[in-house]
Each structure stands twice: as structure tokens, then as C-alpha cells.
Amino acid sequence: MTEQFNITASAVADLARLVALEEIRALKARYFHAVDTKDWPAIIDIFTEDARVDFGGELQHHVGHHGVTEADADPDAWVVIGGAATAKVIEQAVGSIVSVHQGHDPLITLQSADAASGGWTLYDRLEYGHEVMHGFGHYDETYRKVGGRWRIASLTLTRLRVTWEDTRRTG
């Protein structure tokens, strides 16, 4: 017996929306994986060529730790355009350390078939020798579909809290 399905335009639109949301979630998963595995070419590919990436609030949390001084803290150097510049900033920050980034609670809104915005809750652990940073915050992002693939078009990292652990004292 053969069943026939009547697929409505609404069902097709719902399916397209679900596929787009899942593709954006996978994009962010690839971002976290690329950062932690030090895959700089993947980082470049994850962002649009004109992406605005703002890690400017990051340095204030590092002053006084792992050799960073107030003189080193230039937040403007951590606001960049494009995937290549983003990969370079991330490589400078975590290229020689062990890092683990986790994104949770995605809130993604589709504005159109090729534009979206979203937010993610962040926890990351960055190991700078005997100093370990535990970071808590949010990513606010926009996404754009380019050449049939979703990419990050803007990213702003906002830290809510950072704690430092000295592993010489804790084991």
C-alpha cells in the first residue's frame, strides 16, 4: 500500500527553518572545536570576509596574570575585521595553551533565509602553565549565508566573570 503525503508550504518553510537553525548550531560547534584544536584555516572559513569580531573586553581580565601588564592591554587591537584577522587574534590568545570552550543555550533568530542573529552562554577554561582561567560570559552574534553556507558575520564576547586558579596551590 502506498501512502501519499500532502506537504504544505508551511511544512516546507518549517523544515527550512529547522535546517537553518541546525546549520548555525553546527557552525558554532565548529568554531569552538577549531579554537581548541588550533585549526586556524577553519577559523578563517567560519567567518565572513567582512565579519566584525570584538574581543576588546578580554584583555582586562588577563592583566596581572601569565605576564600580561596594563601596558599590554590595548582593547582596540582585539576588535578586528574578517576571518583571517580573527584567526590571528585567537592564535595570539590561545595558540600555545590548552583551551576548552563550551557554548550553551543557543538563542537563534532567523531574520530571513540568509540572515540570523544569536546568543550563546560561554564557559571556557584556559591553561596558562600554573595559572588556569575559568571564564563565564556570552557571545552575541549575527550570521549570514554566503555561497550556500552559514558564516559568522559579527561576534562580540562579553565576560560576566573570570576566576583564576593557581594549580601550584590546588594540586
Side-chain angles (χ1 to χ4, degrees):
M1 183 166 126
T2 304
E3 288 187 42
Q4 288 187 333
F5 294 96
N6 291 326
I7 300 175
T8 65
S10 175
V12 170
D14 287 346
L15 181 59
R17 184 177 87 53
L18 290 173
V19 168
L21 293 173
E22 188 56 31
E23 288 174 346
I24 293 168
R25 285 186 191 102
L27 171 71
K28 190 63 178 183
R30 284 193 311 276
Y31 166 81
F32 288 128
H33 189 262
V35 170
D36 293 338
T37 61
K38 319 310 184 210
D39 186 348
W40 315 129
I43 294 289
I44 294 168
D45 191 51
I46 286 167
F47 289 88
T48 62
E49 288 183 14
D50 63 345
R52 183 182 188 281
V53 177
D54 184 349
F55 294 123
E58 189 68 14
L59 280 175
Q60 68 182 353
H61 299 290
H62 293 266
V63 172
H65 299 280
H66 60 92
V68 177
T69 67
E70 191 72 42
D72 299 321
D74 177 10
D76 292 336
W78 289 65
V79 179
V80 297
I81 303 298
T86 300
K88 184 176 178 181
V89 165
I90 294 172
E91 182 178 11
Q92 290 170 347
V94 300
S96 63
I97 66 166
V98 174
S99 65
V100 177
H101 289 78
Q102 299 176 358
H104 305 277
D105 311 319
L107 297 172
I108 302 167
T109 302
L110 294 173
Q111 277 89 33
S112 69
D114 61 358
S117 61
W120 296 79
T121 303
L122 166 71
Y123 167 74
D124 58 352
R125 176 186 167 100
L126 309 176
E127 297 181 13
Y128 296 92
H130 67 276
E131 290 186 297
V132 177
M133 186 189 105
H134 300 272
F136 308 86
H138 292 107
Y139 281 100
D140 291 307
E141 300 175 333
T142 61
Y143 312 97
R144 192 167 63 236
K145 203 167 193 179
V146 178
R149 294 180 46 223
W150 286 99
R151 308 244 171 131
I152 298 173
S154 70
L155 177 155
T156 300
L157 172 58
T158 303
R159 294 280 184 189
L160 301 175
R161 179 183 170 120
V162 168
T163 61
W164 287 91
E165 171 188 0
D166 186 337
T167 59
R168 294 176 297 194
R169 287 185 242 154
T170 60

